């Protein structure tokens, strides 16, 4: 039995859902995996850098009843909280990946298994972060970054050894899916944004989704890890959904080939990757044809398999949190704790 | 670097495709996984029990140029061939799983990693086989049994820890898919069977597929392993596709809800599993709506995820062989060789 000190960097909807899921799965973690846990630190903009020698009370934390604000900074926070595992869920910065990259580096340097739901650090700093993780013999995992909960990175790491990805096609963004479907029903772009916000998938400013940046981050992270090819956001052909009007969308839908914001990446013979994120018409018979509403999907062409499609239907906050929990369990299974 | 002695129990289309794939992936296996291999034994009805101290020449074996026939039996064959890994691909016996079960037991008792493409031993003898594997610290894996190549068992073993399957729905049988689609096009059942045979998915006697036994074996294997619930074939409600006529199928197709042979299993509150294999109408918008022709698919409902769909598009012999190769690599990765 190993008791893990968990720290949360960011404690918004996903972090809270993860804390709740850890509580719900406590008995299963203990009985099936030999994992016990306590929360040793939480850092948010509002709360500051909170660290504790004793376990922080989860229910009080979730209820928001014991806010404190301290001015520590990442390194002193890590030194005080002494985490075995850090869950990083701060918000996306698609231009540089900062400050998340610095947080993740510090966490790995500290010797914690480091698990992120943040795409940008994979895009801008995967090699560096991975090297620190290897040097420190700690896990650095990020399953929740692409399909929220459905396995993609662990799929290739664990279940598809010696398989090569020739290309992939993704429907990676539920905000645009919901907006386009709202407009197909004859309503406006603004109403589509509002619907996506009500469903909890769009942020107050939906630009990252609408203009394709969220999808591009996913394409670049996948290219780097499963195609082993660095790909920068500016190398991806990008076209958002703002140029589509309801009439065009309704005609496409009537034709049986509605528009989606589609992500594509193809491995070229010279080892480079060509990638795009743009609206495309997708027939119902297409592997991603069934990805509607808030669902997400990816289709792979592999050297040893003509086609493999993974669809995550209507993932919710608990699903995203599960992606982080699965990473935690896999860190535990693949690197037995040092002090037991 | 570990050099594995491989043995093939059964060397039909799948066994041959696996030998070819091992050749094609030789450099990758050596460079990325530290695996070298040689063929030490092959047993088939036609060839008898062939075992060799030296490596058997793969190209001559694939060309069928050096047939021999010896009367050894499984135990003497294992003793002579001294395999580190046995690939079992003999034909399905849906009533008892024999003689495959005895072969697999002997292989595990001998101390070989034991990998099968055969569903019936999982259905009738999973507990016993798994116990021997654990006692001998060898791998007993069977990824190719359900979706040919797409991960299902390893998906739950490796990538979805602490997830509980509430139910699954499968389109597990390409022969019936092809027959029903041929009949939808106005042709006869017999023409459908012929088409499936020409595509290489149906056997000379397609009864196991047509009457649902192939699908039932998959349902029972999945229930036992991923739902951890024993389920016998006679406990599954079964209805084959022989009762469907072209007019019914065409009407269903015109309605946008064509028939498929659908497999279902649901975990009940009391821990039992209710399962069926029968023709059902499936809308295009259904998670398995896109599974046409020789493709296979499965949809899961999980405690931590509303829905996860995996579709393997038009798997071929190489894909099935890859399922066995992936198991081999995973045996190697999870149980480092004893003698290095």
């Amino acid at each position: 039995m190993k008791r893990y000190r968990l720290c949360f960097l960011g404690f918004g909807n996903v972090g809270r859902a993860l804390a709740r899921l850890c509580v719900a799965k406590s008995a299963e973690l203990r009985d099936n995996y030999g994992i016990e846990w306590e929360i040793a630190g939480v850092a948010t903009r509002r709360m500051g850098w909170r660290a504790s020698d004793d376990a922080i009370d989860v229910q009080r934390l979730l209820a928001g009843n014991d806010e404190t604000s301290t001015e520590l900074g990442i390194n002193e926070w890590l030194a005080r909280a002494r985490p075995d595992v850090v869950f990083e869920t701060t918000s996306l910065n698609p231009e540089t990946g900062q400050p998340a990259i610095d947080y993740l580096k510090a966490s790995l340097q500290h010797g914690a298994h480091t698990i992120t739901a943040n795409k940008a650090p994979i895009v801008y700093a995967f090699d560096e972060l991975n090297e620190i993780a290897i040097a420190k013999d700690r896990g650095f995992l990020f399953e929740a970054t692409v399909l929220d909960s459905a396995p993609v990175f662990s799929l290739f790491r664990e279940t598809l050894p010696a398989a090569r990805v020739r290309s992939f096609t993704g429907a990676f963004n539920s905000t645009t899916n919901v907006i386009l479907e709202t407009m197909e029903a004859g309503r406006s772009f603004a109403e589509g944004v509002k619907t996506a916000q009500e469903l909890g998938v769009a942020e107050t400013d939906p630009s990252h989704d609408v203009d394709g940046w969220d999808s591009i981050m996913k394409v670049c992270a996948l290219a780097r890890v499963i195609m082993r090819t660095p790909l920068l956001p500016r190398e991806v052909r990008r076209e958002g959904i703002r140029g589509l009007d309801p009439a065009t969308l309704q005609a496409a839908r009537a034709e049986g080939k509605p528009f989606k914001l589609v992500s594509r990446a193809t491995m070229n013979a010279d080892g480079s990757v060509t990638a795009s994120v743009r609206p495309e018409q997708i027939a119902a018979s297409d592997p991603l044809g069934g990805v509607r509403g808030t669902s997400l999907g990816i289709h792979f062409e592999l050297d040893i398999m003509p086609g493999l499609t993974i669809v995550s239907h209507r993932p919710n906050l608990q699903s995203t949190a599960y992606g982080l929990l699965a990473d935690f369990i896999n860190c535990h299974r693949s690197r037995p704790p040092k002090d037991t």
Side-chain angles (χ1 to χ4, degrees), chain A:
Chain A
M1 194 66 64
K2 158 78 180 167
R3 189 165 184 90
Y4 284 87
R5 288 175 67 80
L6 310 182
C7 279
F8 292 77
L9 244 168
F11 200 65
N13 288 335
V14 172
R16 285 164 184 276
L18 175 59
R20 276 191 293 269
L21 186 61
C22 286
V23 171
K25 290 273 183 189
S26 278
E28 196 169 346
L29 290 172
R30 190 181 56 237
D31 299 345
N32 296 352
Y33 300 96
I35 292 174
E36 291 184 336
W37 60 272
E38 64 191 40
I39 297 182
V42 181
T44 69
R45 269 187 215 140
R46 201 173 47 113
M47 211 184 285
W49 302 89
R50 181 167 174 205
S52 173
D53 271 331
D54 304 322
I56 294 173
D57 186 292
V58 188
Q59 298 307 338
R60 282 175 60 93
L61 185 70
L62 286 168
N65 285 342
D66 52 6
E67 293 171 28
T68 59
S69 184
T70 48
E71 300 288 329
L72 291 180
I74 179 77
N75 285 309
E76 195 165 350
W77 181 70
L78 290 166
R80 289 200 192 178
R82 297 174 284 110
D84 301 300
V85 179
V86 171
F87 296 106
E88 192 270 319
T89 57
T90 65
S91 51
L92 176 68
N93 174 344
E95 272 139 55
T96 67
Q98 289 293 13
I101 292 172
D102 287 341
Y103 293 163
L104 296 171
K105 275 189 209 171
S107 169
L108 286 165
Q109 291 286 8
H110 170 78
H113 293 309
T114 300
I115 294 163
T116 181
N118 206 324
K119 297 169 280 285
I122 316 302
V123 176
Y124 294 110
F126 173 76
D127 288 338
E128 199 179 353
L129 291 163
N130 201 40
E131 277 163 26
I132 305 171
I134 291 166
K136 292 281 180 179
D137 192 28
R138 297 290 85 186
F140 169 53
L141 297 178
F142 37 82
E143 194 59 67
T145 53
V146 172
L147 292 192
D148 285 9
S149 57
V152 181
F153 295 108
S154 58
L155 192 78
F156 285 90
R157 194 177 68 233
E158 309 290 348
T159 75
L160 296 171
R164 283 162 193 259
V165 178
R166 289 187 170 152
S167 70
F168 66 80
T169 311
F172 289 154
N173 188 273
S174 43
T175 296
T176 50
N177 235 12
V178 169
I179 293 172
L180 293 175
E181 290 173 26
T182 305
M183 292 170 74
E184 279 168 10
R187 292 154 66 203
S188 70
F189 179 88
E191 287 172 300
V193 171
K194 191 156 168 282
T195 304
Q197 285 165 339
E198 283 163 3
L199 288 166
V201 296
E203 312 206 24
T204 313
D205 174 3
S207 316
H208 286 169
D209 292 326
V210 165
D211 296 328
W213 290 112
D214 176 79
S215 296
I216 281 187
M217 291 286 118
K218 293 183 175 183
V219 170
C220 293
L222 285 167
R224 179 60 197 85
V225 180
I226 67 168
M227 289 175 156
R228 295 169 205 168
T229 305
L231 181 71
L232 287 170
R234 62 178 158 74
E235 298 172 305
V236 180
R237 175 180 166 189
R238 181 183 62 83
E239 185 187 333
I241 63 162
R242 293 190 202 264
L244 293 164
D245 57 63
T248 307
L249 292 170
Q250 285 167 31
R253 173 83 175 155
E255 194 194 330
K257 297 173 94 175
F259 276 97
K260 290 184 204 305
L261 186 65
V262 174
S263 300
R264 289 187 188 274
T266 304
M267 177 67 79
N268 301 314
D270 67 358
S272 67
V273 168
T274 301
S276 63
V277 170
R278 61 193 182 96
E280 291 185 31
Q281 286 184 262
I282 296 289
S285 59
D286 186 275
L288 299 178
V291 181
R292 306 281 297 164
T294 59
S295 299
L296 304 169
I298 187 163
H299 178 74
F300 301 99
E301 291 180 1
L302 305 169
D303 64 338
I304 41 71
M305 219 182 285
L308 176 67
T309 310
I310 313 277
V311 177
S312 177
H313 297 267
R314 305 174 306 285
N316 50 35
L317 281 171
Q318 189 191 45
S319 320
T320 309
Y322 173 76
L324 296 157
L325 178 67
D327 281 346
F328 171 26
I329 298 172
N330 278 330
C331 285
H332 169 77
R333 293 197 291 190
S334 64
R335 288 176 179 78
K338 286 174 173 168
D339 53 344
T340 52

